[in-house]
Amino acid sequence: MSHYLFTSESITEGHPDKICDQIADRILDAALTQDPSSNMAVECTIKDDFVLIYGEANTNAKLNYEQIALDTIRAIGYEEDYHVMVKVNKQSNEIHQAVVHGGNELGAGDQGIMFGYACDDTDQYMPAAIDYAHRLAKQLSDVRRKHAILRPDGKTQVSVEYESDRLKRIDTIVVSTQHTPEATQAEIADLVMKEVILPIIDANLMDDNTKILINPSGSFVLGGSFGDSGTTGRKIVVDTYGGMGRIGGGCFSSKDPSKVDRSAAYYCRYVAKNIVAHQLARKCEIQVAYAIGKAHPVSIMVDTFGTSTKSNEELLAIIQQNFDFTVSNIIAELDLRKPIYAQTSCYGHFGRPQFTWERIIDLKL
């Protein structure tokens, strides 16, 4: 299609799924702080005032799972009393032995497929719809901390119009925010428009036909875990490319970097972004696949959707000359054994320059 609309959504830190992602990644960070070689896959589920922490851990770290969960919820802004149940076992020895071979070469923590994507819509080489949706969600979270009538749960959505496959305008913006019972919808609409939407959205992309929908359902008092349940890893489309690029078979939050669901997806983004940043293509998608316990991927694929002057085969040769997809190298090159993961758990894992997988490097062409 040469003329089309594309829509992506984001959610705030107070959404129940994101509460769980944050708890899981704060547990991971706490483990890596004490023991950088920790192998972790500890997840979270929340409903009403009940929090379940569960999964597998192979670590020398001493972790107070309950306290991490409660501190996370309080930091988000929820003040209710929560009860935490913990069910965490040691990682299977069979899996552990497959991953750690006794030397410096790590095997993949699981089999699976991972994708990375980049395009030239924005300065950060992200699709425009998800980029703006994340920025609005982050702004909404910042604004609600300054205004007592807003509460932590919220969602954003942006529909972008493309013409001849180029970003033309923003067609629709949706912002839904939890609020106090006494707040009027007129107050909320005025506040969100002035302090959330206008500071973030490029005025050149809006026109008289751009539709702005603020709390389209009306009242949104009941939110967070009392309005819906939440679980780690349920927002993988939000976490990646908003549906513009394909997604792999696993989520990110809770997983240490030996799990290629996370680390290889980061590396694929790193490769795709460098291909686009070096103007080798306007769009680029990378797929890799791994077998559990094996250091090298079983396959690598590149697709530029007809936006490159080079063939996909030529680009694959450039990629293989410049990038090393072994698990040990991914962890080392991107410096993934550090406690950086709580930062990733909200507002997307990609398009944010503080992360190592967003670096642009020199390529041998």
Side-chain angles (χ1 to χ4, degrees):
M1 295 173 65
S2 62
H3 183 263
Y4 57 95
L5 297 176
F6 192 88
T7 303
S8 296
E9 70 161 350
S10 184
I11 54 179
T12 66
E13 61 189 309
H15 186 284
D17 287 331
K18 278 297 154 197
I19 296 173
C20 294
D21 285 343
Q22 290 168 89
I23 291 171
D25 277 337
R26 288 191 181 199
I27 290 169
L28 173 59
D29 279 356
L32 292 174
T33 297
Q34 298 178 47
D35 177 8
S37 63
S38 297
N39 292 135
M40 304 290 293
V42 177
E43 303 180 44
C44 176
T45 288
I46 191 169
K47 178 55 187 161
D48 294 339
D49 61 350
F50 174 70
V51 182
L52 174 62
I53 308 295
Y54 55 96
E56 297 79 44
N58 197 320
T59 179
N60 292 319
K62 304 301 181 184
L63 302 174
N64 187 332
Y65 295 104
E66 179 179 2
Q67 195 61 54
I68 293 170
L70 294 175
D71 288 348
T72 301
I73 293 168
R74 294 285 179 270
I76 292 168
Y78 291 113
E79 300 172 352
E80 294 84 357
D81 290 327
Y82 290 83
H83 308 282
V84 182
M85 177 182 290
V86 178
K87 185 66 173 176
V88 176
N89 297 323
K90 190 174 181 180
Q91 184 186 51
S92 159
N93 281 332
E94 294 168 313
I95 295 175
H96 184 69
Q97 291 303 317
V99 173
V100 182
H101 300 295
N104 294 322
E105 188 75 289
L106 289 178
D110 201 352
Q111 71 175 53
I113 60 171
M114 303 88 211
F115 288 92
Y117 182 83
C119 64
D120 62 0
D121 277 6
T122 66
D123 290 342
Q124 294 304 322
Y125 302 99
M126 286 291 286
I130 190 65
D131 184 64
Y132 276 113
H134 282 322
R135 290 168 60 189
L136 287 171
K138 178 63 168 65
Q139 183 76 359
L140 177 59
S141 286
D142 292 344
V143 167
R144 65 94 176 164
R145 292 181 182 279
K146 299 185 292 184
H147 296 277
I149 66 170
L150 301 184
R151 297 285 286 141
D153 199 353
K155 302 180 82 171
T156 62
Q157 185 172 287
V158 177
S159 300
V160 172
E161 182 178 350
Y162 289 87
E163 190 171 81
S164 300
D165 211 29
R166 293 283 188 179
L167 173 62
K168 181 181 180 183
R169 57 184 288 276
I170 290 177
D171 182 79
T172 306
I173 298 168
V174 184
V175 178
S176 295
T177 179
Q178 186 187 12
H179 56 83
T180 57
E182 60 270 18
T184 69
Q185 293 304 311
E187 287 178 303
I188 294 166
D190 183 66
L191 177 59
V192 170
M193 188 69 191
K194 289 179 179 177
E195 297 196 28
V196 178
I197 296 174
L198 291 180
I200 294 299
I201 302 297
D202 185 345
N204 294 323
L205 292 175
M206 293 196 294
D207 55 34
D208 292 342
N209 294 317
T210 298
K211 298 175 283 294
I212 308 291
L213 305 175
I214 300 171
N215 277 14
S217 67
S219 180
F220 183 6
V221 173
L222 187 66
S225 59
F226 292 87
D228 197 359
S229 60
T231 294
T232 300
R234 269 207 311 211
K235 287 294 182 284
I236 190 169
V237 174
V238 171
D239 287 343
T240 53
Y241 308 101
M244 180 66 82
R246 284 174 281 195
I247 60 173
C251 71
F252 303 151
S253 289
S254 85
K255 296 175 181 175
D256 74 85
S258 73
K259 277 72 170 181
V260 284
D261 279 337
R262 183 171 215 157
S263 55
Y266 290 174
Y267 203 72
C268 286
R269 161 63 180 175
Y270 177 55
V271 175
K273 180 175 180 178
N274 272 277
I275 292 295
V276 177
H278 285 277
Q279 300 182 340
L280 295 171
R282 286 189 46 241
K283 300 179 184 179
C284 182
E285 184 171 75
I286 306 293
Q287 187 210 43
V288 293
Y290 289 83
I292 188 168
K294 300 300 181 183
H296 294 266
V298 299
S299 68
I300 303 173
M301 182 276 294
V302 58
D303 189 354
T304 59
F305 310 96
T307 65
S308 177
T309 58
K310 296 182 180 293
S311 69
N312 289 338
E313 291 76 13
E314 289 173 314
L315 288 173
L316 183 58
I318 292 172
I319 289 167
Q320 291 173 327
Q321 183 181 9
N322 288 274
F323 298 98
D324 177 354
F325 285 83
T326 59
V327 179
S328 294
N329 178 72
I330 290 173
I331 293 171
E333 187 174 355
L334 300 185
D335 200 13
L336 296 180
R337 284 290 184 190
K338 292 184 176 179
I340 58 171
Y341 296 102
Q343 303 172 57
T344 71
S345 58
C346 291
Y347 316 114
H349 292 244
F350 307 120
R352 300 166 63 190
Q354 68 265 40
F355 299 130
T356 55
W357 50 92
E358 295 294 323
R359 287 179 298 146
I360 296 171
I361 62 173
D362 294 331
L363 297 182
K364 300 174 184 176
L365 302 176

